[in-house]
């Protein structure tokens, strides 16, 4: 199929009348779209809440564990007179 045949086929497809859309389809689409939007909003809120909880947990752990402080030595230095 060459370019001119493809163009002719596309023109024929575009010149045809579009198929009739069922009248109840609009309501179904609106319901599905609003449901998807609510799910997406809920998922985003849960993800932000999880991120906030992780940041809070890290902050509490860091304030208790103090990973930046060198741990105390477990051996004693030799005693010399």
């Amino acid at each position: 199929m060459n370019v001119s045949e493809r163009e002719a086929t596309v023109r024929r497809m575009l010149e045809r009348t579009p198929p009739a859309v069922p009248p109840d389809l609009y309501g179904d689409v609106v319901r599905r779209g609003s449901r998807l939007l609510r799910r997406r909003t809920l998922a985003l809120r849960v993800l932000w809440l999880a991120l906030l909880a992780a940041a809070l947990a890290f902050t509490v752990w860091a304030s208790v564990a103090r990973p930046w402080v060198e741990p105390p030595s477990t051996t004693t230095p030799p005693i010399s007179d």
Side-chain angles (χ1 to χ4, degrees), residues 7-62:
E7 288 177 357
T9 305
V10 169
R11 282 194 180 100
R12 278 192 306 251
M13 289 171 58
L14 290 175
E15 288 173 355
R16 284 190 264 168
T17 58
V21 178
D24 60 338
L25 184 64
Y26 177 75
D28 294 341
V29 169
V30 168
R31 278 192 298 278
R32 181 177 291 170
S34 63
R35 183 172 55 230
L36 287 174
L37 188 60
R38 281 193 311 267
R39 285 183 184 175
R40 182 181 301 162
T41 304
L42 178 65
L44 284 173
R45 286 182 182 169
V46 167
L47 285 174
W48 277 111
L49 184 63
L51 181 65
L52 180 65
L56 182 65
F58 175 77
T59 304
V60 169
W61 170 79

Side-chain angles (χ1 to χ4, degrees), residues 73 75-80:
S73 176
T75 60
T76 59
I79 300 175
S80 61

